[in-house]
Amino acid sequence: MFQSLQPAERQRRMPPVMKQQRVIVVGGGVGGLAAATDLARHGAQVTVCERAAEPGGKMRQIAVAGAGVDAGPTVFTMRWIFEQLFVDAGDALERRLELAPASILARHAWRDGGTLDLHADVDRSADAIAAFAGAAEADGYRDFCRRSADVYRTLEQSFIAAQRPSPVELVRRVGFGRLDAMWRTAPMQNLWGALGQHFRDPRLRQLFGRYATYCGSSPLTAPATLMLVAHVEQDGVWQVRGGMRAVALALAGLAERQGAELRVATEVSRILVKGGRISGVQLASGEHLDADAVVFNGDVSALGSALLGDDVRRAAPAVVPAARSLSAVTWCMKARIRGFDLEHHNVFFASDYPDEFRAIFDRREITAAPTVYLCAQDRGVLADAASAPSGREPERLLVLVNAPADGDSHRWSAAEIAELESRSFGLLRDCGLEFDRTDGDAIITTPTQFAELFPGSGGALYGRASAGAMSTFQRPGAQSSVAGLYLAGGSVHPGPGVPMAAMSGRLAAAQWLQDLRRARR
């Protein structure tokens, strides 16, 4: 799977002007694989160095009781980004992945009572909300959907699919004649306050406030701009045959078919600079690889913390601990469940949502009753009806609780993990979900392990938290301050999440190509 094209074949694919351009991609996550695809397609000699045994980065899978459980991202959205990547490479997404749209986006339950399904269809969701909380709340939901669509249309091409702008540049891209559209994105308002304009029921503010966590942030401080996530989900949430690991393997295969070489279990210990510009990398094994450019697809704090050497420390500043995004505690499980009819995506709430984020970001702890996300990976539109879970057989589950990103300063004890597990699974039990557990049915990952898996992050899963109107402009763009070093991944523009990371890789490759053409004029 990970064998590259033979050198002679790669040589035939290269335009002559590009033959001597060697580019190393550090990190085989989504952003790195997208960058490698575009770089190789434009004729560069590309080597991807991935420290793990498989590509995918945070989109990883853990073996539990003989079954692979997706242990990272579980939601596939913004399909158009991946379709375009494959089309540009002369391929087709549907040839490489089996995708099916989810009709139910997520099932939500509250400890104090009530269950609500959010549907892909706005009218069905509005009907469900009306039955759940009344007609006025359904009207508020429709207004919210219109507003989120407007925000998305304003920012799609001006921000998401473009190199990182300054605030003034963003206004210019949107158009000085469309300042009203820019104002409607509500950059100066926090998401929690904006939701109060649409919903009186606190449970609905909880439900839609959760969109801030998609970029590792608090709805109390994240800009209201993040309401655009509602439109992204309505545009399509897709389930993937084989899980999200299949997405990583499809992207790796696409990069290889363009001529990129993928080296797994290959850790880069240092990025080398000579004469003020990139000259290559040194591997943990001691091997040196020469390069004309490097795309770094890791947490940018690893650069600013000099984990890749002093020569690239100035490439991007490290995110200070107080500005980090959320981390998590996760349970990858194979267990029997009963008492609650799960969907593929499920969210279980307690009553005091704001305190969850005050606890994490202010007190650096997990609140008494945290929100619990559960992905039932054997359920959904791609599940085989003949073998659909019935509670009689164990099924694959990812259970996740948000946590502070203190993995480099706090090591979780077994007692702390057991106490959090009791509280978290107690909430699930209060919502009607029971587990039949056996010893060894779960593999637990804490912020400590996330910090070890993703160097420099401290366990933060989304880079810098989005807090305030200017936070999004504090993420680095594709071009670093070191000549020949480019940045990709969820900690840089346009932000975290699988599609955004893919877009960051494409933006890094585009910036490299632009710089190369400018240098050769």
Side-chain angles (χ1 to χ4, degrees):
M1 173 64 202
F2 304 129
Q3 297 299 312
S4 64
L5 294 171
Q6 294 301 312
E9 186 176 352
R10 183 191 297 120
Q11 197 80 352
R12 287 196 300 271
R13 296 169 71 99
M14 285 190 214
V17 72
M18 299 287 196
K19 283 184 180 179
Q20 302 307 308
Q21 285 298 311
R22 297 158 300 179
V23 184
I24 293 173
V25 178
V26 180
V30 175
L33 295 173
T37 297
D38 280 348
L39 291 165
R41 179 169 62 85
H42 282 99
Q45 182 179 327
V46 181
T47 301
V48 181
C49 296
E50 168 53 51
R51 69 198 294 259
E54 279 194 347
K58 293 185 179 73
M59 201 157 58
R60 62 197 184 101
Q61 198 171 81
I62 291 177
V64 182
V69 179
D70 281 343
T74 56
V75 180
F76 189 86
T77 58
M78 300 179 78
R79 176 175 173 163
W80 62 270
I81 290 177
F82 300 93
E83 287 178 330
Q84 193 61 55
L85 176 66
F86 275 75
V87 167
D88 290 347
D91 207 331
L93 181 67
E94 59 270 20
R95 288 177 57 196
R96 309 298 177 179
L97 286 173
E98 182 181 351
L99 303 172
S103 58
I104 296 179
L105 303 180
R107 178 157 291 165
H108 308 83
W110 284 262
R111 167 179 272 169
D112 295 336
T115 303
L116 175 64
D117 288 349
L118 197 64
H119 300 265
D121 180 79
V122 171
D123 291 333
R124 289 193 66 188
S125 289
D127 290 343
I129 289 172
F132 177 74
E137 298 295 80
D139 291 340
Y141 169 72
R142 292 183 184 277
D143 287 339
F144 174 67
C145 290
R146 286 189 285 268
R147 188 177 180 185
S148 68
D150 183 43
V151 172
Y152 180 83
R153 285 191 295 266
T154 299
L155 298 178
E156 179 185 13
Q157 296 302 319
S158 62
F159 184 81
I160 295 172
Q163 300 289 354
R164 183 182 69 84
S166 66
V168 173
E169 174 66 12
L170 178 59
V171 172
R172 187 194 67 78
R173 290 178 185 176
V174 172
F176 289 102
R178 298 185 64 236
L179 291 180
D180 58 332
M182 191 71 235
W183 184 251
R184 287 196 300 273
T185 66
M188 308 305 293
Q189 189 176 19
N190 66 56
L191 180 61
W192 191 251
L195 291 171
Q197 298 170 4
H198 299 277
F199 306 107
R200 291 181 178 273
D201 192 311
R203 297 172 298 178
L204 295 175
R205 289 180 79 183
Q206 280 182 308
L207 192 160
F208 295 107
R210 218 177 145 266
Y211 288 155
T213 68
Y214 287 26
C215 65
S217 304
S218 163
L220 308 180
T221 57
T225 307
L226 288 176
M227 69 180 74
L228 64 81
V229 175
H231 181 73
V232 168
E233 288 194 333
Q234 288 154 12
D235 196 45
V237 172
W238 304 83
Q239 291 176 20
V240 186
R241 178 78 69 188
M244 296 299 285
R245 177 176 180 265
V247 177
L249 297 182
L251 291 172
L254 182 68
E256 289 181 315
R257 287 190 295 277
Q258 301 308 301
E261 177 189 9
L262 180 56
R263 295 179 60 171
V264 297
T266 302
E267 181 175 1
V268 172
S269 61
R270 189 177 183 88
I271 298 176
L272 305 174
V273 177
K274 185 177 182 179
R277 69 171 297 113
I278 291 296
S279 63
V281 303
Q282 178 179 319
L283 304 183
S285 65
E287 181 183 358
H288 284 68
L289 301 178
D290 293 334
D292 300 292
V294 166
V295 175
F296 180 70
N297 182 56
D299 195 293
V300 292
S301 287
L303 298 173
S305 301
L307 297 184
L308 279 300
D310 286 332
D311 289 342
V312 292
R313 180 193 288 270
R314 63 186 174 87
V319 178
V320 299
R324 289 173 180 166
S325 63
L326 294 169
S327 186
V329 177
T330 65
W331 292 261
C332 288
M333 306 175 61
K334 192 173 182 186
R336 295 179 181 86
I337 64 98
R338 51 192 167 81
F340 186 97
D341 187 17
L342 293 171
E343 270 293 324
H344 191 78
H345 300 292
N346 309 269
V347 187
F348 298 85
F349 293 105
S351 56
D352 193 348
Y353 202 50
D355 187 66
E356 178 167 348
F357 298 98
R358 296 189 188 104
I360 290 174
F361 289 102
D362 298 338
R363 306 195 299 270
R364 313 304 292 176
E365 63 185 27
I366 299 177
T367 192
T371 301
V372 179
Y373 166 74
L374 188 154
C375 180
Q377 296 177 21
D378 294 314
R379 299 177 184 241
V381 290
L382 286 176
D384 184 351
S387 59
S390 62
R392 291 188 295 271
E393 296 295 330
E395 55 184 295
R396 298 176 303 147
L397 307 167
L398 169 67
V399 179
L400 180 149
V401 170
N402 294 322
D406 57 1
D408 52 353
S409 60
H410 173 72
R411 182 168 290 277
W412 281 64
S413 69
E416 287 177 298
I417 295 171
E419 194 271 337
L420 176 63
E421 182 169 320
S422 176
R423 288 190 281 130
S424 303
F425 283 73
L427 172 64
L428 298 177
R429 186 172 56 251
D430 291 345
C431 292
L433 179 61
E434 298 277 358
F435 290 79
D436 291 329
R437 302 282 303 274
T438 59
D439 291 341
D441 69 358
I443 293 178
I444 302 168
T445 307
T446 70
T448 304
Q449 282 82 54
F450 284 121
E452 294 167 351
L453 285 166
F454 310 115
S457 68
L461 298 176
Y462 311 86
R464 176 185 294 273
S466 294
M470 301 304 293
S471 59
T472 190
F473 300 104
Q474 294 175 309
R475 287 180 177 271
Q479 191 170 46
S480 81
S481 58
V482 176
L485 178 59
Y486 301 87
L487 308 177
S491 64
V492 306
H493 173 81
V498 174
M500 296 297 192
M503 182 60 73
S504 78
R506 305 210 72 184
L507 292 173
Q511 186 65 58
W512 167 81
L513 187 62
Q514 178 180 315
D515 291 348
L516 186 64
R517 287 169 173 165
R518 185 183 295 119
R520 289 180 169 175
R521 284 175 184 166

